Amino acid sequence: MGLLAGLLGYSNPYVLPWFMIAVAVVASAYGLPWGLLAAGLAALGLLLFPGFQLMAVGILLLSAFLAHRLGESLRQAHRRAKALARAQRLLAQALEVIPQEETPEALLKGLPDRLAALGEGGHVGVWVPEGKGLRLLASRPPLSVEVIPYGGVVGRAFREGRPVHGPDVRRDPDYIAPPDHKALAELALPLLERGEVVAVLNLERDRPFPEELREGLERFAQAVSLHLDRLADLRERRLQAELAERLQSAPTLAQAAEKALALLVEGLGLEAGAFWEVRGARMVSLAAYGVKEPFLLKVLEEGLPYGVGLAWQVYETLSPVFTARYAEEARVVPALKALGWRTFAALPVPTPGAPRARRVLVVGQRGEKLWRRSEVELLLLAARTLGLGLERLQETERHQGVNRLFLELLEKPLEELYQEVLEEAIRQVPGSEAGSLLVLEEGAYRYRAAVGYDLEGLRAISFTPEGMLLWYGRPEEGAKRGEPRLMSLAERPIAKISHETAPPEVIDRAGKAQEIQANLCLPVPYKGEVLAYLNLDNLHDPLAFGEDSLGVARFFAAPLATLLHESRTRKLLEEAALTDPLTGLPNRRAFDRFLLEELKRAERYGYPLALAVMDLRGFKQVNDRLGHAVGDLALTKVAEALEGQRRNGDRIFRWGGDEFAALFPHTGKEGALRAAFRYARAIEALCFNGLCLGVNIGLAAFPEDGRTPDELLSAADTRMYQAKAQGLSVLA
């Protein structure tokens, strides 16, 4: 237009002004005031100075060129302003929708749809970390590439935690483009949750990103990150509230563990979980969720042996473990490794005063998963909440266990009660896996119950009160107060101390003294007298017991003392009912009871058992000629003579009248025959005013003469009558 004006002005200067008016109109329509001004000046110059027409033409051409460039710049600025305004509207619309999303997954998956219009000629995608690469969570339009390495613009944004702009992605050696992809520029924006990159928002387009658009997108990413933080806080509060509610409504430990597992596994989008509790040398499953494989169900049923699996590592270190490469861990469960499970979190459930993790929470999935910081914090908080809730339930179960023992006291024999008391203590006191109960009887402490040891072997030894104080290792005042004490192999030689109180060959074999790693000894006093000593042992871990163990043991001390006192009183009453008042020997009722008990033991352990039935000769003459007083004296002397010849472990009974009986545990027929001859000689040595006594003894042995009490008694009774008929003292 400027060139045309110059030519017209050169040929006819008077036409120029009118033409310039037209130029002005057109220039105004295009918004070019500076071009209009230049054209006007050129026309004015031609009118005023016709001699300078050539110069005016040059000025006019230059002005026209400048006007064209300026117009183009303004048009570009106008288009850019429109594009930025459109982008800002899209970002504003997306920001309005973000607060409506209720889960991080829904929020991240919806971003490509919200921003799809900004990926002109390329795409908008969200990438999340998974294993050794980044996985495409969502994209618009869809991409054929699902996983990329931690390289390129997206990888750098994830690693460095800052926006990364690639002006030309084709020059990036790590860039992997789908077929027919023509994107030129790339922008990767990290999305953070509590300061940790959890995803990368990636935009690609066929033209560079204006600086204003990049800044707007970066602010948008910051807003998304803030909402991710809010969602993480909201999820944590909701989960904590629901967890507390479920624990409050659970009546038992197992049900509480099951409810907690279901909530955590589902809330974190995992596959399965297990809640383990240490009981002795194994971890047992209190609850499990989502476990379906037969191999894993068998593991849950059998428990974890000592030292096997991440749970035992957590037990020892009290430190949680989060892993996505389970097969590479030092301690694994073979069944889990064989099935290809990769991702696990194992956390200690806190117990106040415990040196070890008494309970361990384990959750996981087959596939590889990188643990987010928010997930780690959520699980740690959940473990603490579980610890508080389960401690309340544990205390309730302790009370229920003691109450159950009191109720059973009225129904069960004393020996069974001793065993149940011990087993309940091992169940309740943290760190226990074996133990024994020594009860004061006739001035000495004797083993009356054992778990993990040979009770029959331990019955052969007894301890004086001084010997028990040596084992207790504290002043007598502490024992009379019922103060428990701990002993660890890491601090004191347990086996050596055991050898000072009992024969090494017995205590090592029957009591496994060389294997004990830690011991908790609880004196059980009542009104100034120590009725019993309860020993709880761990055979694997020197640090198995802690302050929590002592606290539970103290809880047991008072009710256990009452229980043993009541049982002791009942025992005295039972002994009175089972004792012959004249001789002090157990009576026929006692014989029937002990015979049945010893016969059961003999059958269970496969050792021999013999019995003898004795009928006095000459007693009727003593009683008739010398009177009942001498007759009673004769029966008393017979009882003393039999007791004098009784071996340790044998039992002598008065059946009534002039009949006596004996039981020989762990003894075959030959051993019983030798004992019977000693008894016969002792009785035959008794004389009263010239009248001497004699005896006829019939023997029977298990199992050759019978397997039931009636069969054995019938055999012994028959032989006793045969001995009398044949004039023999003893007949086997």
Side-chain angles (χ1 to χ4, degrees), residues 684-695:
E684 290 168 353
L686 296 175
C687 295
F688 302 89
N689 294 335
L691 298 176
C692 296
L693 297 179
V695 67

Side-chain angles (χ1 to χ4, degrees), residues 37 69 286 363 389 419 481 552 577 728:
L37 179 61
R69 292 299 300 271
L286 276 181
V363 293
Q419 190 67 26
R481 289 195 303 268
V552 178
L728 301 176

Side-chain angles (χ1 to χ4, degrees), residues 393-409 417 420-421 423-425 427-428 555-556 559 563:
L393 291 170
Q394 180 71 71
E395 185 175 350
T396 301
E397 289 196 357
R398 291 191 191 111
H399 285 284
Q400 291 174 347
V402 173
N403 291 338
R404 186 176 63 251
L405 286 178
F406 272 104
L407 292 176
E408 293 176 352
L409 172 66
L417 176 65
E420 289 205 13
V421 165
E423 291 174 358
E424 185 68 24
R427 276 194 296 268
Q428 298 288 358
F555 165 80
F556 258 87
L563 188 64

